[in-house]
């Protein structure tokens, strides 16, 4: 079992920056991949970025170059640094843990989410 707790969400103006943090606890954390999903109102949950235990990353096209993820295997934390934020980035952001199977990331554990609102 993996427990995930997100923090750092809030209100930011377009073009601004915001960092999210995820604290993980449980057993065998080093075998899991991790990532961030987001879900905007009326839309399906989408993968923002995934990170393997070795630190390999896979970003969604619409956040590449604006978002950067950092995984600290010692502290068991996952940070998402967001910049040049757009109103369409508004969503609930969920930290997750899972496995990469045949090149596909499959989340199995989820945090409760943290709200990010980008608005003037």
């Amino acid at each position: 079992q993996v427990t995930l707790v997100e923090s750092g969400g809030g209100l930011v103006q377009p073009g601004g920056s915001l960092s999210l943090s995820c604290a993980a606890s449980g057993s065998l954390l080093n075998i899991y991949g991790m990532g961030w999903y987001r879900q905007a109102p009326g839309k399906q949950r989408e993968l923002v970025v995934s990170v393997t235990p070795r630190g390999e990353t896979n970003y969604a096209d619409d956040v590449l170059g604006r978002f950067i993820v950092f995984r600290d295997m010692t502290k068991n934390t996952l940070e998402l640094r967001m910049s040049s934020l757009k109103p369409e980035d508004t969503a609930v952001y969920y930290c997750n843990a899972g496995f990469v199977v045949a090149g596909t990331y499959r989340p199995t554990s989820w945090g409760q989410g943290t709200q990010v609102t980008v608005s003037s």
Side-chain angles (χ1 to χ4, degrees):
Q1 289 287 340
V2 177
T3 300
L4 304 166
V5 180
E6 305 98 331
S7 62
L11 176 65
V12 62
Q13 294 184 355
S17 300
L18 194 67
S19 293
L20 307 180
S21 183
C22 173
S25 61
S27 61
L28 303 176
L29 296 178
N30 61 324
I31 72 170
Y32 290 95
M34 296 186 71
W36 289 92
Y37 275 75
R38 66 184 180 185
Q39 187 168 26
K43 294 186 176 181
Q44 296 294 315
R45 188 174 297 179
E46 63 177 352
L47 179 65
V48 178
V49 61
S50 62
V51 191
T52 72
R54 292 185 177 271
E56 300 164 330
T57 59
N58 183 30
Y59 293 89
D61 288 342
D62 57 351
V63 306
L64 185 64
R66 300 190 300 117
F67 292 9
I68 301 175
V69 68
F70 294 92
R71 183 176 183 177
D72 191 322
M73 299 296 291
T74 301
K75 298 179 180 179
N76 295 321
T77 58
L78 187 71
E79 183 181 5
L80 183 65
R81 301 178 185 179
M82 305 180 291
S83 61
S84 300
L85 285 162
K86 306 173 181 178
E88 52 262 42
D89 293 318
T90 296
V92 178
Y93 284 70
Y94 297 90
C95 180
N96 49 82
F99 302 94
V100 179
V101 180
T104 301
Y105 178 64
R106 301 288 188 180
T108 57
S109 299
W110 295 83
Q112 79 286 353
T114 185
Q115 176 71 49
V116 174
T117 302
V118 184
S119 176
S120 299

